[in-house]
Amino acid sequence: MTAPFPTPVADETQRLLSSEELAAALRDIGAKRYHNLHPFHRLLHDGELNKDQVRAWALNRYYYQAMIPIKDAAVLARMEDASLRRIWRQRIVDHDGDAPGDGGIERWLRLAEGVGFSRAYVESTEGILSATRFSVDAYVHFVKERSLLEAIASSLTEMFSPTIISERVAGMLKNYDFITKDTLAYFDKRLTQAPRDADFALDYVQKHATTPELQRQAMAALTFKCNVLWTQLDALYFAYVAPGLTPPDAWTPGTGLVPETVTAQAAGTGTLGPHDVPRLPRGVRLRHDTVRGEHVLLAPERTFDLDANAVAVLEFVDGTRTVRDIAGLLAEKFTADRAVIEADILVMLNDLATKRVLER
């Protein structure tokens, strides 16, 4: 007696997904792998980086931005359908602009200038991390060498960018006093450009990934692009956050910056920001007047009476803590909101700075 041959169990990875299932699978890749989840971005958006760490991000990201139209031109050159080329070429215009002074690259240069860089230094790409260059160049080579389907699928990270842009703009404006809306103007247009580009790319992939193998290739391409973005942040974190091992040829703080212009400040409007480290100048000290039972700030030929709040702040001014660190300690001590305390103590500390009894 011959037993019936068992019906093969279909491997789920070999099944042809519907358009909706494919879109869901692609979005799931972003939910798990997109670089908004990277620790460096969490620190950036939450205001936990210092000014030089933000500068390192802006400088290295420029190389990625500058190579995007080159990547898109490589994809464009492979398109035999004129209707596709007419749509895709808009990506190049978005970054290069229609005229000098226009486009996404120009806006990123303004962002870099906004955090203190010389335009010429940024454009030279001298100080970017080798890992940044390797990752971005690998992406350009990928779209040249792989299928057109894979090249277009790799651009689907645009599906996730509106979320990270919203987080980034809100977080950086809230947490960094040296960041303005003008500095972040690059992201304004991306909020509409990215969804437009993502809709086109997703529609193309859904229509042309017609076999399980092609669908897997599209998903692998998107995974690769997520890795390109993630790797760049790995390098930034390693070089500028922890352990802080900056390669010999990479940017170091102070290099390529435009000298800051120092202007006179009115009382109460000094120059201390959340990331500055306040300290008492030589000859100035906090002292308890035992006769009056009050704390005073002693300076050469001057004495400043202090209330309890000022004393609580100055007790944490040790020349190593930033204003934000001090606000955090006070928030913990008094069970209060750090942001509110930070805003209050900045007014006080800057007032003392204009009176020349505090410096950074």
Side-chain angles (χ1 to χ4, degrees), residues 19-341:
S19 292
E20 293 75 18
E21 289 174 323
L22 178 58
L26 292 166
R27 290 192 176 93
D28 186 59
I29 291 171
K32 295 175 180 176
R33 294 176 174 271
Y34 194 54
H35 63 163
N36 66 314
L37 302 173
H38 196 284
F40 188 92
H41 266 169
R42 301 291 5 124
L43 295 173
L44 176 67
H45 300 167
D46 294 343
E48 300 300 330
L49 298 181
N50 62 40
K51 192 171 186 177
D52 284 328
Q53 290 166 333
V54 175
R55 284 169 169 159
W57 164 76
L59 177 67
N60 278 268
R61 180 76 180 189
Y62 169 76
Y63 187 67
Y64 174 79
Q65 302 299 148
M67 294 300 288
I68 288 297
I70 295 175
K71 178 270 298 184
D72 285 327
V75 177
L76 185 72
R78 303 181 61 191
M79 292 177 167
E80 298 179 359
D81 186 333
S83 63
L84 290 181
R85 292 197 299 270
R86 282 192 289 271
I87 295 171
W88 196 267
R89 70 188 181 191
Q90 184 59 48
R91 293 169 176 251
I92 300 174
V93 174
D94 289 343
H95 281 81
D96 285 344
D98 283 315
D102 186 28
I105 295 176
E106 172 64 26
R107 287 190 290 275
W108 195 273
L109 283 167
R110 292 174 191 164
L111 186 156
E113 289 176 317
V115 297
F117 277 114
S118 154
R119 173 178 289 242
Y121 181 77
V122 177
E123 290 181 311
S124 75
T125 71
E126 289 178 15
I128 66 168
L129 294 163
S130 295
T132 299
R133 193 181 302 275
F134 295 157
S135 296
V136 175
D137 289 354
Y139 182 34
V140 175
H141 286 298
F142 181 91
V143 303
K144 290 179 179 179
E145 297 166 0
R146 297 299 184 95
S147 68
L148 183 59
L149 172 66
E150 290 170 289
I152 292 176
S154 70
S155 74
L156 281 170
T157 48
E158 301 282 21
M159 290 194 298
F160 322 120
S161 61
T163 298
I164 197 172
I165 289 173
S166 298
E167 291 177 355
R168 179 175 296 155
V169 171
M172 294 184 74
L173 287 176
K174 175 184 177 183
N175 294 309
Y176 299 108
D177 63 309
F178 54 87
I179 294 292
T180 67
K181 289 192 71 174
D182 288 340
T183 307
L184 300 180
Y186 167 84
F187 298 106
D188 293 343
K189 290 193 175 183
R190 294 306 299 161
L191 285 170
T192 55
Q193 292 169 351
R196 177 205 67 202
D197 294 343
D199 288 345
F200 166 81
L202 180 59
D203 181 68
Y204 183 92
V205 169
Q206 288 173 315
K207 288 178 178 177
H208 291 82
T210 54
T211 69
E213 175 61 25
L214 291 175
Q215 289 182 340
R216 289 195 298 274
Q217 288 178 12
M219 289 186 279
L222 177 56
T223 299
F224 169 80
K225 174 62 180 306
C226 287
N227 289 342
V228 165
L229 296 172
W230 194 279
T231 300
Q232 292 175 67
L233 295 181
D234 277 347
L236 280 169
Y237 194 95
F238 187 88
Y240 297 105
V241 180
L245 299 179
T246 307
D249 58 347
W251 177 75
T252 53
T255 305
L257 303 180
V258 176
E260 293 186 17
T261 302
V262 179
T263 57
Q265 301 289 324
T269 63
T271 58
L272 285 168
H275 301 283
D276 287 321
V277 178
R279 57 178 56 83
L280 295 177
R282 188 172 182 177
V284 178
R285 65 185 187 276
L286 180 65
R287 178 182 173 184
H288 184 257
D289 187 329
T290 56
V291 176
R292 294 189 295 167
E294 298 176 351
H295 281 84
V296 295
L297 199 59
L298 295 180
E301 301 180 3
R302 294 181 296 168
T303 301
F304 297 87
D305 294 331
L306 303 171
D307 61 22
N309 290 335
V311 173
V313 174
L314 290 173
E315 285 179 338
F316 287 123
V317 173
D318 63 357
T320 65
R321 298 186 178 102
T322 66
V323 174
R324 180 152 294 174
D325 292 336
I326 295 170
L329 292 170
L330 291 169
E332 183 177 349
K333 180 177 180 179
F334 296 106
T335 316
D337 183 85
R338 188 198 72 178
V340 174
I341 290 181

